[in-house]
């Protein structure tokens, strides 16, 4: 344990000397108030410390004590449905300890030390185990089973194993390692947040993470184990989109990090999630969610810790073999924390004052996502999908954080303020967004949904691109200058935009759309286009086609419940063919 003395205080940065025995990234306690900090730079015996609590009142001469351990999180039963701050202190326990205004230096355990968990052994005495092997399970919530694993650095033979009710600190298993030394195992592991948890192998992510959001699943999909960014200006719907993904994504566990966002946005999450029913289990959504609430009124430095805390917890559940979705809202606030600390350290600034290592820090974070073969004997696959919101000032995605993020992620959901002002949500711009997982997902969708799913998507996207070109002509010379077939494209793409891409997250049916229903909806619109094209060739006026009553039926198809999809959609398809055939017949009679 190393003890030093403060020589400088600059906001969240404290410099102490006499710290020769301390190491980089050690956790320290600052002054007699025991403020939590982390060493981020060493020069001889001088340590630069990032303090995660308010530093007002600190001054030179006060004591700094190193704990000798890196910033770590506690991993074990009790994580699910808990709300933590950026350095894994449970907010409810903090409230009990210090009231509504949290005092500085308050220390509470991350996992409840008094609660007893019902441990059921799945390994037995004499079993040879390696790091990552599951030795027992605990039913943590109604929907999540916490799998108790051998720590990654332990290998040997089980000497004894218990069953029954234990706290997280009580011994449940003893493993004799290869040197003949007995290692006592409890239900809790500690892991340094800046160090990636190990795995056996990284696999190619090729199965779709189903979100129920049509613009995402059909046009810009993300795979399980993929990485995505949602950049957009203020008010364009970044947070709402992430809430939707947290609610509906096909993931076993959700880790939601509110990193430097306004307090009212996190309050929405805290109030909404316990009330929401999980569509897969019927239980409260909080039964499979971990929340990290690091709001904008907390010290800037704590924002950086919150990102690492969240992804380490997510990796722990991935190692159990679960599919985990991590939402980081927003990485721009995290980058601002890096910029402030870099400035206080007097480092050479990069573009717009951000540190030169911004890109590598972002890459280190996103690279921890992926689909992996988990440690341990046997085959177990887990996935960690990372979705980060980016808040570029004024929506200008040419700024450094957006650009550094885009160089790393494979999916770009570009939010557009003009769509948001038109109340078109999700406001994902279909002409600027992209997904580099498209080929893999097309193959997966053709095999698992319908064999022409990818063909439908490609046709619809081509029509939307043609519409953008036609709109330029319309603005110059008016819609009457277009041919009937071009005006039909405008009518059909209006339907794609308003009926398919526009989705109401507050409507009980429209908030989530299955892949089968997405396919049927797109089929309806494309059928109308194909039949309309035939009618136009038979000299039917576009004005008559655009007034057909079936268009309203297509528009309201998104509100049809999943159980009635095939029956109702078959009827609409029949109506499309009948009404257009009737128009063609009338046209022939008039001639």
């Amino acid at each position: 344990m190393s003890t030093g003395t403060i020589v400088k205080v600059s906001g969240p940065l404290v410099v102490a000397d006499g710290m020769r025995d301390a190491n980089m990234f050690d956790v320290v306690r600052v002054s007699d108030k025991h403020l939590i900090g982390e060493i981020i730079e060493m020069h001889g015996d001088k340590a630069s410390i990032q303090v995660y609590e308010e530093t007002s009142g600190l001054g030179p001469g006060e004591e700094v004590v190193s704990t000798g351990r890196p910033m770590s999180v506690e991993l074990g039963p009790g994580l699910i449905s808990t709300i933590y701050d950026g350095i894994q202190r449970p907010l409810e326990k903090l409230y009990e300890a210090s009231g509504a205004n949290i005092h500085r230096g308050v220390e509470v355990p991350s996992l409840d030390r008094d609660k007893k968990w019902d441990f059921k052994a799945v390994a037995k005495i004499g079993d040879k185990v390696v790091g990552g092997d599951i030795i027992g399970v605990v039913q943590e919530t109604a929907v999540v089973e916490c799998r108790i694993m051998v720590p990654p650095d332990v290998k040997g033979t089980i000497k004894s194993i218990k069953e029954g009710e234990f706290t997280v600190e009580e011994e449940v298993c003893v493993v004799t390692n290869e040197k003949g030394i007995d290692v006592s195992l409890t239900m809790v592991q500690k892991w340094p947040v800046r160090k990636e948890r190990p795995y056996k192998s990284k696999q190619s992510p090729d199965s779709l993470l189903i979100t129920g959001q049509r613009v995402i699943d059909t046009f810009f999909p993300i795979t399980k184990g993929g990485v995505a960014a949602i950049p957009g200006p203020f008010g364009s719907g970044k947070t709402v989109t992430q809430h939707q993904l947290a609610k509906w994504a096909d993931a076993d566990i959700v880790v939601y990090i509110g990193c430097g966002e306004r307090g009212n946005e996190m309050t929405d999450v805290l109030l909404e999630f316990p009330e929401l029913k999980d569509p897969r289990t019927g239980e409260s959504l909080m039964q499979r969610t971990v929340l990290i609430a690091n709001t904008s009124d907390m010290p800037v430095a704590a924002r950086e810790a919150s990102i690492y805390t969240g992804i380490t917890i997510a990796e722990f559940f991935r190692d159990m073999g679960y599919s985990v979705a991590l939402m980081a809202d927003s990485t721009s606030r995290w980058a601002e924390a890096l910029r402030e600390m870099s400035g206080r350290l007097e480092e050479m600034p990069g573009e717009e004052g951000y540190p030169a290592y911004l890109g590598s820090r972002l890459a280190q974070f996103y690279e921890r996502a992926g689909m992996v073969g988990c440690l341990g004997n046997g085959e177990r696959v887990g996935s960690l999908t990372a979705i980060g919101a980016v808040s570029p000032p004024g929506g200008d995605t040419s700024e450094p954080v957006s650009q550094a993020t885009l160089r790393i992620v494979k999916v770009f959901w570009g939010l557009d303020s003009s769509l948001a002002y038109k109340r078109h949500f999700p406001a994902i711009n279909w002409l600027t967004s992209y997904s580099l997982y498209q080929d893999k997902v097309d193959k997966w969708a053709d095999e698992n949904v319908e064999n022409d799913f990818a063909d439908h998507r490609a046709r619809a996207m081509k029509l939307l691109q043609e519409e953008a070109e036609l709109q330029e002509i319309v603005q110059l010379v008016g819609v009457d200058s277009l041919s009937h077939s071009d005006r039909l494209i405008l009518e059909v793409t209006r339907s794609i935009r308003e009926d398919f891409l526009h989705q109401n997250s507050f409507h009980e049916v429209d908030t989530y759309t299955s892949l089968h229903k997405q396919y049927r909806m797109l089929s309806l619109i494309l059928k109308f286009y194909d039949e309309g094209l035939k009618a136009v060739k038979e000299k039917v006026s576009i004005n008559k086609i655009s007034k057909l009553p079936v268009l309203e039926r297509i528009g309201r198809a998104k509100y049809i419940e999943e159980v009635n999809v095939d029956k109702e959609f078959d009827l609409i398809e029949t109506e499309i063919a009948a009404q257009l055939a009737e128009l063609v017949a009338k046209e022939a009679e008039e001639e």
Side-chain angles (χ1 to χ4, degrees), residues 5 43 48 86 125 144 160 185 228 245 248 281 284 349 390 400 512 563:
T5 309
H43 291 292
S48 296
I125 294 169
V144 175
S160 68
L185 302 185
L245 296 176
W248 299 106
T281 61
S284 161
V390 185
Y512 178 89
V563 288

Side-chain angles (χ1 to χ4, degrees), residues 167-373:
T167 64
V168 290
E169 288 186 306
E170 289 178 320
E171 179 183 284
V172 293
C173 179
V174 176
V175 173
T176 306
N177 69 14
E178 291 163 318
K179 294 177 182 172
I181 300 167
D182 287 352
V183 181
S184 172
L185 302 185
T186 64
M187 287 190 271
V188 65
Q189 292 184 24
K190 278 205 159 194
W191 192 264
V193 295
R194 292 177 185 273
K195 185 180 171 189
E196 185 176 9
R197 280 182 65 87
Y199 48 82
K200 214 187 284 182
S201 61
K202 211 152 200 175
Q203 302 182 2
S204 172
D206 49 14
S207 61
L208 176 65
L209 179 76
I210 303 164
T211 66
Q213 310 309 299
R214 295 187 288 269
V215 65
I216 292 174
D217 290 349
T218 301
F219 288 106
F220 310 110
I222 183 169
T223 55
K224 287 183 178 178
V227 285
I230 317 179
F234 174 78
S236 59
K238 294 183 295 296
T239 303
V240 174
T241 304
Q242 286 201 317
H243 286 196
Q244 278 294 94
L245 296 176
K247 290 173 202 172
W248 299 106
D250 177 26
D252 301 313
I253 309 286
V254 173
V255 179
Y256 192 98
I257 308 166
C259 173
E261 285 303 299
R262 284 166 294 285
N264 60 329
E265 291 189 354
M266 277 314 292
T267 308
D268 281 351
V269 178
L270 304 183
L271 294 175
E272 245 182 64
F273 278 32
E275 300 294 319
L276 284 167
K277 262 195 172 177
D278 186 343
R280 300 194 303 161
T281 61
E283 299 284 338
S284 161
L285 197 64
M286 282 301 288
Q287 301 266 306
R288 61 180 181 96
T289 303
V290 183
L291 291 178
I292 294 166
N294 176 254
T295 53
S296 47
D297 63 341
M298 290 181 76
V300 166
R303 296 179 191 175
E304 194 194 2
S306 66
I307 289 279
Y308 291 116
T309 299
I311 201 153
T312 308
I313 290 170
E315 284 176 337
F316 175 62
F317 287 107
R318 176 207 69 189
D319 292 346
M320 294 181 196
Y322 286 124
S323 165
V324 186
L326 175 119
M327 312 292 158
D329 185 15
S330 90
T331 53
S332 291
R333 309 277 174 261
W334 172 48
E336 284 164 14
L338 287 179
R339 179 167 63 181
E340 175 160 342
M341 291 311 297
S342 175
R344 291 186 185 278
L345 288 166
E346 298 174 9
E347 294 172 340
M348 181 68 78
E351 195 182 347
E352 288 188 25
Y354 287 102
Y357 48 78
L358 171 67
S360 65
R361 288 284 176 89
L362 279 165
Q364 283 166 14
F365 167 67
Y366 282 111
E367 279 168 4
R368 289 172 73 168
M371 183 171 272
V372 303

Side-chain angles (χ1 to χ4, degrees), residues 471-492:
Q471 288 291 6
E472 289 178 17
I473 298 167
V474 168
Q475 284 169 3
L476 286 170
V477 289
V479 73
D480 293 333
S481 63
L482 297 180
S483 67
H484 284 289
S485 57
D486 284 346
R487 287 176 66 184
L488 178 66
I489 289 175
L490 293 183
E491 187 60 45
V492 168

Side-chain angles (χ1 to χ4, degrees), residues 129-184:
V129 291
V130 296
D133 276 345
I134 295 168
I135 54 168
V137 295
V138 168
Q139 195 64 42
E140 190 170 343
T141 68
V143 297
V144 175
E145 177 186 80
C146 183
R147 295 158 189 170
I148 309 303
M149 298 173 288
V150 177
D153 55 350
V154 175
K155 184 180 182 182
T157 308
I158 293 180
K159 182 180 178 183
S160 68
I161 190 163
K162 303 172 185 173
E163 275 204 348
E165 296 202 335
F166 305 97
T167 64
V168 290
E169 288 186 306
E170 289 178 320
E171 179 183 284
V172 293
C173 179
V174 176
V175 173
T176 306
N177 69 14
E178 291 163 318
K179 294 177 182 172
I181 300 167
D182 287 352
V183 181
S184 172

Side-chain angles (χ1 to χ4, degrees), residues 270-564:
L270 304 183
L271 294 175
E272 245 182 64
F273 278 32
E275 300 294 319
L276 284 167
K277 262 195 172 177
D278 186 343
R280 300 194 303 161
T281 61
E283 299 284 338
S284 161
L285 197 64
M286 282 301 288
Q287 301 266 306
R288 61 180 181 96
T289 303
V290 183
L291 291 178
I292 294 166
N294 176 254
T295 53
S296 47
D297 63 341
M298 290 181 76
V300 166
R303 296 179 191 175
E304 194 194 2
S306 66
I307 289 279
Y308 291 116
T309 299
I311 201 153
T312 308
I313 290 170
E315 284 176 337
F316 175 62
F317 287 107
R318 176 207 69 189
D319 292 346
M320 294 181 196
Y322 286 124
S323 165
V324 186
L326 175 119
M327 312 292 158
D329 185 15
S330 90
T331 53
S332 291
R333 309 277 174 261
W334 172 48
E336 284 164 14
L338 287 179
R339 179 167 63 181
E340 175 160 342
M341 291 311 297
S342 175
R344 291 186 185 278
L345 288 166
E346 298 174 9
E347 294 172 340
M348 181 68 78
E351 195 182 347
E352 288 188 25
Y354 287 102
Y357 48 78
L358 171 67
S360 65
R361 288 284 176 89
L362 279 165
Q364 283 166 14
F365 167 67
Y366 282 111
E367 279 168 4
R368 289 172 73 168
M371 183 171 272
V372 303
C374 305
L375 282 184
N377 294 307
E379 290 297 313
R380 194 165 77 245
V381 176
S383 68
L384 168 50
T385 310
I387 297 164
V390 185
S391 313
D396 175 20
T397 52
S398 64
E399 56 88 44
V401 183
S402 302
Q403 288 302 307
T405 304
L406 291 183
R407 283 195 284 272
I408 301 156
V409 300
K410 301 285 183 68
V411 181
F412 171 70
W413 296 318
L415 296 176
D416 191 328
S417 55
S418 64
L419 286 173
Y421 294 146
K422 290 174 189 169
R423 293 289 174 262
H424 178 111
F425 291 107
I428 294 172
N429 187 316
W430 48 89
L431 298 173
T432 58
S433 303
Y434 62 82
S435 169
L436 299 182
Y437 299 117
Q438 193 71 68
D439 292 345
K440 288 179 180 178
V441 172
D442 280 350
K443 189 179 172 194
W444 182 91
D446 284 350
E447 288 170 5
N448 293 279
V449 188
E450 295 288 342
N451 59 11
D452 56 350
F453 189 97
D455 177 57
H456 275 38
R457 180 198 62 75
R459 284 188 67 200
M461 183 52 83
K462 188 167 182 288
L463 286 170
L464 287 167
Q465 287 164 346
E466 284 177 15
E467 182 209 25
E469 293 164 13
L470 291 172
Q471 288 291 6
E472 289 178 17
I473 298 167
V474 168
Q475 284 169 3
L476 286 170
V477 289
V479 73
D480 293 333
S481 63
L482 297 180
S483 67
H484 284 289
S485 57
D486 284 346
R487 287 176 66 184
L488 178 66
I489 289 175
L490 293 183
E491 187 60 45
V492 168
T493 50
R494 184 195 58 75
S495 183
I496 294 174
R497 284 187 287 104
E498 294 178 8
D499 305 334
F500 186 82
L501 296 177
H502 181 277
Q503 194 164 351
N504 184 351
S505 62
F506 296 104
H507 189 283
E508 56 181 8
V509 174
D510 198 32
T511 185
Y512 178 89
T513 309
S514 68
L515 290 178
H516 176 65
K517 185 176 173 184
Q518 291 183 37
Y519 170 79
R520 291 300 307 261
M521 285 176 71
L522 214 47
S523 296
L524 273 189
I525 296 167
L526 292 173
K527 182 173 178 65
F528 180 81
Y529 176 62
D530 292 337
E531 296 294 331
L533 215 50
K534 287 178 196 168
V536 165
K537 283 176 184 168
E538 297 293 335
K539 306 285 190 295
V540 176
S541 159
I542 185 66
N543 293 332
K544 290 178 182 173
I545 293 173
S546 61
K547 287 176 184 157
L548 285 175
V550 77
L551 273 170
E552 190 176 337
R553 291 269 282 150
I554 294 171
R556 301 198 65 76
K558 57 178 157 188
Y559 303 122
I560 293 170
E561 292 187 4
E562 297 283 347
V563 288
N564 302 323

